[in-house]
Amino acid sequence: MKLYMKIISKLTLGLILSFAVVLFSCSDDDKGPDEDPSAAHKVVFKAEISNGNIINATYGIDDDAHTALNLSGTSWSSPELTVPAGAYNANILVNAAGATDNAVLTVQIFVDGQLKAEKVSPPSKITSALVNYKF
């Protein structure tokens, strides 16, 4: 009977601790304390290829899309966009051509001056990267 009680007490303690961890680690607010989802934001999209040329970029906020065509060079940056309060997400798709099979494309989304999303493509001669950020 003593062994049975020890097992039950250990299981009960484990269950209580597991419940406490789940209860206190969950939060309805995934944003940091300074982020207000109802506030307007400043967004900049950036792309850089290690060895080659960026060809084009399609970027935007929700359904407000912009396209930059006939690009050339190893780096590109969008104009700063003012995102209205209540916007849902930011997206960017960049296509690039590497000078070698080892070219790496990095695409980033900056919100209010802070890097919020980034994707680095695997090495390739022809490459593209799609990045999304939810406000």
Side-chain angles (χ1 to χ4, degrees):
M1 188 69 161
K2 261 185 168 178
L3 180 61
Y4 178 73
M5 291 304 285
K6 281 184 178 181
I7 292 172
I8 294 293
S9 65
K10 286 183 180 181
L11 287 174
T12 303
L13 180 61
L15 183 61
I16 290 170
L17 288 174
S18 298
F19 180 73
V21 167
V22 169
L23 179 68
F24 293 110
S25 67
C26 294
S27 171
D28 290 339
D29 184 13
D30 290 340
K31 303 292 181 191
D34 297 334
E35 293 187 41
D36 180 1
S38 64
H41 298 284
K42 302 286 185 183
V43 175
V44 175
F45 301 92
K46 294 184 179 184
E48 184 175 314
I49 190 163
S50 61
N51 185 10
N53 284 306
I54 296 172
I55 299 169
N56 59 42
T58 301
Y59 60 97
I61 309 299
D62 293 338
D63 61 353
D64 180 27
H66 305 270
T67 303
L69 300 171
N70 301 319
L71 300 174
S72 181
T74 59
S75 65
W76 170 84
S77 183
S78 75
E80 183 177 80
L81 301 179
T82 300
V83 180
Y88 183 70
N89 66 19
N91 298 293
I92 180 169
L93 171 65
V94 176
N95 297 306
T100 67
D101 290 338
N102 296 326
V104 175
L105 176 65
T106 302
V107 179
Q108 302 170 320
I109 299 175
F110 288 85
V111 178
D112 298 326
Q114 296 181 349
L115 177 63
K116 295 293 184 174
E118 178 179 69
K119 172 131 188 212
V120 178
S121 73
S124 179
K125 189 158 186 152
I126 302 295
T127 187
S128 64
L130 172 66
V131 182
N132 174 276
Y133 173 73
K134 263 199 254 187
F135 295 101

